[in-house]
Amino acid sequence: MEFDFILACGDSFTEGCQERIGRGINGTWPGIVANHFGVPFANIATGGSSNTTIALQPVNTPHGNIQDGAWIDWSGIGDSKKPLIIFAFTIMDRWTYFHPEVGTIHSHYSIDPQYMEGINGNKWTAMQKHIPIDAFGGYSGKWLKTTTGKPYQVENFLWATIQAIMTAMQYQSLIPNATVLWGFIHEGSAYPFGKDITQLTTFEDDIVVDGVVWPSMDSCFNKWFDYKPLQRVLNEEDDIIGQGDRHPNRKGIQSIANIFIEGLNEV
Amino acid sequence: MKFDSIIACGDSFTRYHKTALEKTWPCLLGEHYNVPWANLAKGGCSNYEIALQPIQFQPDTHEWGNPNYLEFKKPLLIFGLTTPWRLPVFAPAEGRLSSIASILPEDLIYNPYTGVDEKMYEGTINRGIIHDWFQQIDIHAIELMHKWGQLFKDSTVLWGTIHFQWDDPGSVMTDTVKRGLEEEEGRIITLHRHVESKIGKSYCFNEITDWWPLQHCLGGDNNLHINWDDKSNLEFNPIDRHPTNEGIQLFADNLIKYIDNI
């Protein structure tokens, strides 16, 4: 695959917990991958992002130079002729809301009402704390295609993720010579995946739907890891920051970067 | 100005569901300049949602003009702004950002298309009016529209306000219209200067209409609106202030005049 720039979007698993890890933007997996291929990059991922806001990060992220745990020198794709844009999606149960005071779309890391108020949230999430589950928790009325031939009626949060993938793929149509890759890194407890991302299960590992056909599967980077979410490459013993924090440490970040390096070399 | 295609974004004054797609102003512009075009507009959108139309638009769910973005190497992106009094919200039924089309208390309903119980946002709307958040939302929307110019290497972003809610029927300019125009003029110039100071270059087509919203060029003429004020047969001919084909042609003429003068 030919590319001359990498733009990485995602949540904390892509942002790389830079403040805690202490290796700056070059120590994140997008930085490692870009340095391996010798191309410039921008990592505009933000911790706690929902899939909807991840898909909007290329246009919704303010330009500028922010050092502490966030993007630096983000001012567009520069002189790139063939940008590679990677959307690293996350757990589906996050709350997307419009922040009227700031005037932009935001997301909150949890839809659990107790984590939407007080020190865990802000006045907007507190005001809306009952909306995600009470009003939005049901079915969207949309149906998901499966390889089993049995269509599945989609819940609202799953539908938002499907829309986010479709939104991400639009960049490939809009930006001349751009390549978009999407996939899942962070795996959650609501709609956890089964054997791979084509299976959605319950908390108790009961399969809810099998043979999920996500949009644009050809562009899904999980194919380089047997369609498993990349978080599963992390060894619980020595690849995560520590008990209570399952984000990848330096070794874990390198393991995720290796999947991208090997995958991109294959294409 | 060089461009090989047109992508138009906006609300119902850019794409009205009762107007044939081939009669909309993006199509008229495409025919005039002999370039492919796409009309991504949707009725009821807020300016923030309009700014996101290039990526939120799903080509398989609407008819939209030329479907092949990949042919567009040097597009002219035209954002037709609407009233600031619309609130962007996340819509569960759509799985993406949508808008509350009217913030008047009596218009707030459960909207089955978006899945949003709009009444829940009444408090937010009231605070927004008091604290002038709607102006702030527009500033972010206009910045977002210009981000496309930085992602789309050889594109040009053109913007301006079309939809104007203060017009009255008839050719006499009432005090209400005068006040509305002054307010809109101030808003448009503020946004224009903001783009100039933050982005560098602002192509605002309202310059061609004395910084007034494009809709005002229809001048309250009943022939240029679908039905401005004829209440004699409301059941079959409801009030509908969207432009007729002649009105849309006037929009296109003004836009062409502006584009040719850049």
Side-chain angles (χ1 to χ4, degrees):
Chain A
M1 182 186 293
E2 277 187 58
F3 55 90
D4 60 8
F5 184 90
I6 294 176
L7 174 61
C9 307
D11 71 344
S12 55
F13 278 69
T14 297
E15 185 274 320
C17 303
Q18 291 169 46
E19 224 170 326
R20 192 146 183 199
I21 300 281
R23 289 175 67 191
I25 200 93
N26 285 301
T28 64
W29 68 255
I32 295 169
V33 174
N35 289 329
H36 175 86
F37 289 103
V39 296
F41 75 102
N43 181 352
I44 55 172
T46 303
S49 292
S50 67
N51 289 330
T52 303
T53 51
I54 289 171
L56 298 178
Q57 278 170 353
V59 280
N60 205 40
T61 304
H63 289 174
N65 184 332
I66 297 170
Q67 293 288 349
D68 295 327
W71 61 92
I72 56 167
D73 295 333
W74 164 238
S75 57
I77 56 174
D79 295 326
S80 170
K81 302 269 188 297
K82 289 187 175 181
L84 170 62
I85 310 177
I86 305 175
F87 293 91
F89 289 121
T90 181
I91 60 175
M92 297 180 215
D93 49 336
R94 281 184 170 166
W95 181 232
T96 304
Y97 65 102
F98 192 81
H99 195 314
E101 204 166 2
V102 180
T104 58
I105 194 167
H106 279 242
S107 50
H108 189 64
Y109 69 96
S110 174
I111 57 168
D112 186 335
Q114 65 174 315
Y115 294 115
M116 291 182 75
E117 61 183 350
I119 55 164
N120 297 306
N122 58 44
K123 69 175 172 182
W124 298 105
T125 56
M127 258 166 60
Q128 300 179 356
K129 67 179 177 178
H130 295 299
I131 298 178
I133 293 173
D134 294 353
F136 290 2
Y139 286 94
S140 64
K142 309 289 192 305
W143 294 82
L144 184 64
K145 271 195 245 171
T146 66
T147 54
T148 63
K150 203 173 153 190
Y152 173 70
Q153 193 174 177
V154 180
E155 294 89 347
N156 284 319
F157 289 100
L158 175 55
W159 179 241
T161 293
I162 292 169
Q163 285 289 309
I165 297 167
M166 291 164 81
T167 299
M169 292 310 299
Q170 280 286 92
Y171 291 95
Q172 185 164 292
S173 305
L174 280 167
I175 301 173
N177 305 315
T179 302
V180 168
L181 291 173
W182 71 271
F184 295 99
I185 295 185
H186 189 179
E187 182 176 27
S189 52
Y191 306 113
F193 297 114
K195 66 177 169 58
D196 55 38
I197 63 163
T198 69
Q199 261 185 0
L200 300 177
T201 67
T202 63
F203 241 158
E204 293 79 26
D205 288 339
D206 295 327
I207 295 170
V208 175
V209 55
D210 200 5
V212 173
V213 180
W214 296 98
S216 304
M217 284 291 264
D218 289 350
S219 301
C220 176
F221 60 67
N222 294 104
K223 65 188 169 193
W224 298 328
F225 192 54
D226 295 329
Y227 287 98
K228 291 181 213 151
L230 301 199
Q231 188 179 348
R232 291 192 194 172
V233 75
L234 304 178
N235 183 315
E236 290 283 319
E237 296 289 312
D238 55 358
D239 284 349
I240 61 171
I241 288 177
Q243 291 307 313
D245 188 340
R246 302 178 75 184
H247 287 98
N249 59 18
R250 291 181 186 201
K251 188 165 167 285
I253 289 170
Q254 185 66 53
S255 299
I256 291 173
N258 288 345
I259 293 173
F260 280 100
I261 290 168
E262 285 167 27
L264 288 167
N265 272 325
E266 275 174 24
V267 183
Chain B
M1 179 181 286
K2 285 184 183 168
F3 55 91
D4 68 0
S5 49
I6 292 168
I7 298 176
C9 305
D11 73 343
S12 58
F13 280 72
T14 296
R15 173 76 175 103
Y16 186 44
H17 67 281
K18 288 183 183 170
T19 302
L21 191 61
E22 294 71 28
K23 301 285 184 189
T24 61
W25 62 256
C27 175
L28 300 181
L29 256 58
E31 284 173 354
H32 177 85
Y33 291 108
N34 195 25
V35 294
W37 54 277
N39 187 348
L40 314 186
K42 193 185 92 179
C45 282
S46 62
N47 288 326
Y48 199 85
E49 189 184 354
I50 290 170
L52 292 178
Q53 278 172 349
I55 39 167
Q56 287 214 134
F57 191 85
Q58 303 296 341
D60 57 339
T61 56
H62 298 71
E63 53 167 354
W64 65 309
N66 190 317
N68 196 356
Y69 272 159
L70 297 173
E71 291 173 1
F72 297 6
K73 304 293 181 206
K74 289 186 177 183
L76 177 61
L77 280 150
I78 309 180
F79 292 96
L81 273 65
T82 183
T83 165
W85 305 112
R86 286 178 172 169
L87 184 72
V89 288
F90 182 74
E94 296 184 272
R96 55 186 174 162
L97 193 96
S98 187
S99 308
I100 294 178
S102 168
I103 59 166
L104 292 173
E106 61 270 30
D107 291 342
L108 299 175
I109 52 162
Y110 171 73
N111 184 333
Y113 299 105
T114 58
V116 175
D117 184 356
E118 297 173 350
K119 272 276 174 209
M120 284 191 199
Y121 291 91
E122 195 169 1
T124 303
I125 290 166
N126 291 339
R127 285 191 192 91
I129 294 167
I130 294 166
H131 297 294
D132 207 15
W133 292 337
F134 287 91
Q135 173 70 7
Q136 190 64 20
I137 293 170
D138 269 6
I139 286 172
H140 280 279
I142 203 86
E143 284 180 11
L144 216 154
M145 288 167 193
H146 285 84
K147 289 265 179 69
W148 286 111
Q150 282 147 318
L151 287 174
F152 236 137
K153 297 306 303 170
D154 297 313
S155 66
T156 305
V157 174
L158 197 73
W159 70 279
T161 292
I162 299 180
H163 191 167
F164 177 56
Q165 291 184 308
W166 296 68
D167 259 343
D168 280 339
S171 54
V172 178
M173 196 187 281
T174 62
D175 286 344
T176 312
V177 178
K178 266 186 211 162
R179 210 169 48 243
L181 283 171
E182 278 168 15
E183 195 171 302
E184 281 296 302
E185 183 184 9
R187 187 171 80 91
I188 293 166
I189 291 173
T190 302
L191 289 173
H192 177 64
R193 288 193 180 137
H194 180 81
V195 174
E196 281 184 328
S197 67
K198 193 133 188 193
I199 314 289
K201 183 72 197 165
S202 173
Y203 294 112
C204 175
F205 58 71
N206 295 116
E207 199 177 341
I208 208 79
T209 50
D210 296 327
W211 302 103
W212 289 346
L214 199 52
Q215 188 190 329
H216 186 65
C217 73
L218 307 182
D221 182 342
N222 201 37
N223 293 321
L224 300 175
H225 296 271
I226 292 175
N227 179 16
W228 186 254
D229 62 349
D230 179 1
K231 294 177 182 164
S232 61
N233 191 2
L234 288 176
E235 191 180 347
F236 295 102
N237 188 24
I239 299 295
D240 186 337
R241 286 160 186 168
H242 288 93
T244 57
N245 292 343
E246 291 76 21
I248 294 169
Q249 185 64 56
L250 258 183
F251 286 178
D253 292 345
N254 275 289
L255 286 163
I256 290 166
K257 202 168 149 192
Y258 179 75
I259 292 166
D260 288 348
N261 275 297
I262 297 175

